[in-house]
Amino acid sequence: MTDELTEAGGTTRTTAFSGGGGSPRPAAASSERLSVPKSSVCSRSYFVVVMVFFHVYIVNVIALLLYVHYSSGQEDAAAGPPGRDAAQAEQQQQARPQQPLPSGTQCTRDVPLPRVEGVRVGHVQMLSLVPNKVHEMTTLSLKPLLFEIPGFLSEDECRVVMQLAQLKGLTESQLMVQDGQEELAKELNLSPEEIFNLLDINQDGQLQLHEILTHSRVRDGIWLTPENLQEIYAGLKVDKDENGSLSLEEFRLLSADAFQRFLLQRGVERSQLVRNSRHTWLYQGRGAHQVLQDIKERVTRLTRLPSTLVDLSEPLQVVRYEEGGHYHAHHDSGPVYPETACTHTRLAANASTPFETSCRYITVLFYLNSVDGGGETAFPVADNRTFDEVCLIQNGVDLMDTRRNCEKSNLRVKATKGKAVFWYNYLSDGKGWVGEQDEYALHGGCVVTQGTKWVANKWINIDPDYQRQARYQHLVSQQPEDEDGLTLHFDIHQEL
């Protein structure tokens, strides 16, 4: 998914690199940062309503359109040693006998998750990840906690991964909407007035373009610009007073059928997609190509996490962006509320929940080639003092639009062959486990202006609900092994 993306207003801090995967030379950081106040309205109920509203009014229509327009006739593709503390923790975990864990049993959180310290921007740490080689890891930002490791993959490893991906076959990286959203809306029984009031951030009785756009592209397949939205208003004749905002009476006119009729007449271009790329998934377990297994082991040493957590995470995702390809700003993981469940542990949940998200604690992104033009990974609000979603669209500038405004991001990482960057999508809970979502981990893939861009993503999936993660691991441990000795655990990756 879901990946890479985004940008932010204010002065740009660009990271420069020497050729051939040498040591990075961070450019001087700007003293100015985009300052945006923290909104108090981003509550759990607001999150639920926002998701449901645009799924019901816009997303289902767009998903159908994209499916017909792009998917017809296509087939889906099937989808040195660890640090001392991490090694001791893993040995202790493996030493404990596997005992049955009935549903509802409470587990003691006795093995905290190791977390790499960033220290300060520009801080360099020396790592022993492979025999006879020392890697340098540089801290690029503290919000999010983001690191860069040049030469993480060799040239041969990059070539092998690209060849395996091509052999497997790549498919369009579409963002499709989950089924059942209309039923959820009926269950929540939300009136147009309630939805309108929750979307009306400044409570002025009008829905401005930025209030709608900020929350209309979370999981949509299409990227709506202010110009697109104004065109839709005009086509549907809903903005009666032509002031660019919608009153409650005008808002009531935005039915799903009206959007469908308009979009079918208008059509959708590839450049309007949230994500314009092709991808596939590569299994990394026992029996996989040795290069893929080596990369997984190296990630385990890099993140210092128990190997069990890495083994039970998603396969390696390989993505190719052609010229013009991009991925608008996004989060690899979503916030986890009582109304949401993690995709990978959903079978271990005690109760059904209406929403599901991918709980990707860590993202490790590998660049498999050097891009001739564009293709940077942008972090629009990295190390900002404050963050507010609504303020990402100001004065006609959409900081999440990686086709137009990548240069306005606070941090951009150049795509250089063999380099890896990794960051935490969640904060610590202060007790050695996963905490709240790190909003500063917003990122995106800048448009490729020349050549082709190849990247790979390795996500480490951990449920912020410790009990649910423990139950999931227990369920997996009870699964039978096939004739090759492989545990048949659940397929947890999502097309994000």
Side-chain angles (χ1 to χ4, degrees):
M1 225 138 294
T2 15
D3 310 308
E4 354 153 285
L5 295 167
T6 297
E7 59 267 2
T11 305
T12 301
R13 170 158 64 83
T14 304
T15 302
F17 304 92
S18 58
S23 300
R25 303 192 306 273
S30 168
S31 60
E32 295 185 23
R33 295 291 183 193
L34 177 66
S35 179
V36 284
K38 180 70 176 177
S39 172
S40 61
V41 298
C42 294
S43 62
R44 181 181 305 151
S45 61
Y46 182 69
F47 165 77
V48 173
V49 171
V50 164
M51 291 183 70
V52 172
F53 168 68
F54 272 100
H55 280 133
V56 173
Y57 282 81
I58 300 178
V59 179
N60 289 337
V61 176
I62 293 172
L64 177 61
L65 179 65
L66 291 175
Y67 178 80
V68 173
H69 194 71
Y70 292 110
S71 296
S72 296
Q74 291 187 355
E75 296 182 357
D76 294 332
R84 184 181 60 184
D85 294 341
Q88 290 177 348
E90 185 174 353
Q91 291 173 0
Q92 293 172 2
Q93 189 178 48
Q94 294 174 346
R96 288 194 296 273
Q98 293 285 348
Q99 297 296 333
L101 182 63
S103 178
T105 299
Q106 298 297 302
C107 306
T108 302
R109 193 184 307 177
D110 52 356
V111 181
L113 291 176
R115 192 174 175 96
V116 180
E117 295 297 330
V119 184
R120 65 182 181 279
V121 174
H123 178 70
V124 178
Q125 303 180 49
M126 310 307 291
L127 306 177
S128 178
L129 302 175
V130 295
N132 304 318
K133 184 174 181 179
V134 175
H135 287 86
E136 289 186 355
M137 181 174 71
T138 304
T139 302
L140 296 185
S141 77
L142 297 178
K143 295 192 306 182
L145 191 52
L146 169 67
F147 305 91
E148 170 192 79
I149 309 98
F152 187 88
L153 299 181
S154 69
E155 186 169 337
D156 284 343
E157 288 173 328
C158 291
R159 176 182 51 79
V160 168
V161 172
M162 289 189 291
Q163 289 177 340
L164 290 173
Q166 290 175 311
L167 183 63
K168 175 79 176 293
L170 291 88
T171 57
E172 293 288 345
S173 302
Q174 296 171 225
L175 299 180
M176 301 307 294
V177 181
Q178 296 176 0
D179 296 330
Q181 299 303 322
E182 290 188 18
E183 290 73 12
L184 288 175
K186 292 178 182 178
E187 290 179 11
L188 292 172
N189 195 27
L190 296 171
S191 68
E193 291 84 354
E194 290 172 315
I195 296 174
F196 182 91
N197 288 331
L198 284 167
L199 291 175
D200 186 11
I201 304 299
N202 59 11
Q203 294 295 296
D204 65 350
Q206 296 282 322
L207 289 184
Q208 282 78 33
L209 291 174
H210 72 273
E211 288 178 317
I212 292 181
L213 288 177
T214 298
H215 301 292
S216 68
R217 305 178 297 207
V218 176
R219 297 185 189 280
D220 302 3
I222 190 173
W223 185 263
L224 293 175
T225 65
E227 294 82 3
N228 295 152
L229 201 53
Q230 288 175 328
E231 184 182 354
I232 292 174
Y233 287 175
L236 298 179
K237 295 180 173 58
V238 295
D239 187 9
K240 300 299 185 182
D241 52 12
E242 298 182 351
N243 66 349
S245 301
L246 296 183
S247 64
L248 177 58
E249 291 70 25
E250 294 169 333
F251 176 73
R252 293 176 184 274
L253 301 175
L254 289 177
S255 67
D257 289 342
F259 265 102
Q260 182 176 17
R261 289 194 302 271
F262 178 82
L263 290 174
L264 286 174
Q265 293 174 356
R266 179 181 177 278
V268 179
E269 300 176 0
R270 289 185 61 85
S271 61
Q272 292 179 278
L273 298 177
V274 171
R275 181 180 184 181
N276 183 6
S277 64
R278 297 177 67 85
H279 77 278
T280 192
W281 301 87
L282 298 178
Y283 171 72
Q284 290 184 281
R286 289 167 57 187
H289 194 285
Q290 189 60 48
V291 166
L292 299 178
Q293 294 190 60
D294 290 345
I295 293 174
K296 186 184 68 171
E297 294 302 318
R298 206 171 306 161
V299 167
T300 303
R301 296 188 181 99
L302 172 67
T303 60
R304 306 172 189 173
L305 293 173
S307 59
T308 301
L309 291 175
V310 180
D311 290 340
L312 295 181
S313 294
E314 293 170 82
L316 186 72
Q317 186 194 51
V318 182
V319 187
R320 184 182 70 201
Y321 297 87
E322 301 295 343
E323 189 168 313
H326 69 281
Y327 195 171
H328 287 307
H330 65 281
H331 288 280
D332 284 349
S333 287
V336 180
Y337 298 129
E339 295 85 4
T340 64
C342 293
T343 299
H344 75 287
T345 58
R346 64 187 181 277
L347 295 180
N350 286 328
S352 61
T353 54
F355 298 111
E356 200 173 278
T357 188
S358 54
C359 299
R360 292 162 170 168
Y361 178 58
I362 289 177
T363 296
V364 186
L365 171 67
F366 315 99
Y367 298 102
L368 302 178
N369 74 321
S370 296
V371 181
D372 295 332
E376 302 93 341
T377 303
F379 294 82
V381 292
D383 282 333
N384 242 30
R385 289 190 295 271
T386 55
F387 173 78
D388 187 345
E389 268 191 319
V390 176
C391 294
L392 290 170
I393 305 176
Q394 293 189 64
N395 303 319
V397 177
D398 186 352
L399 301 175
M400 298 176 68
D401 190 333
T402 58
R403 291 185 62 86
R404 298 182 179 182
N405 302 311
C406 250
E407 75 282 354
K408 294 181 174 65
S409 295
N410 280 358
L411 173 64
R412 285 178 291 153
V413 181
K414 185 177 180 180
T416 305
K417 181 188 291 187
K419 181 169 60 183
V421 290
F422 91 93
W423 64 88
Y424 292 88
N425 294 302
Y426 293 92
L427 303 172
S428 171
D429 68 349
K431 302 176 183 178
W433 198 249
V434 182
E436 296 180 352
Q437 181 191 36
D438 190 342
E439 296 172 319
Y440 295 88
L442 188 69
H443 66 285
C446 300
V447 63
V448 177
T449 59
Q450 185 178 358
T452 302
K453 172 185 175 183
W454 283 86
V455 297
N457 297 291
K458 180 62 180 178
W459 288 294
I460 311 300
N461 303 92
I462 303 179
D463 196 324
D465 185 327
Y466 181 83
Q467 303 299 328
R468 200 158 55 196
Q469 178 71 31
R471 287 195 296 271
Y472 165 69
Q473 292 184 216
H474 174 74
L475 286 174
V476 172
S477 71
Q478 301 303 306
Q479 296 298 304
E481 292 186 346
D482 63 15
E483 59 185 10
D484 295 323
L486 303 177
T487 300
L488 302 177
H489 61 82
F490 315 114
D491 181 16
I492 61 172
H493 72 265
Q494 277 189 305
E495 301 291 334
L496 292 181

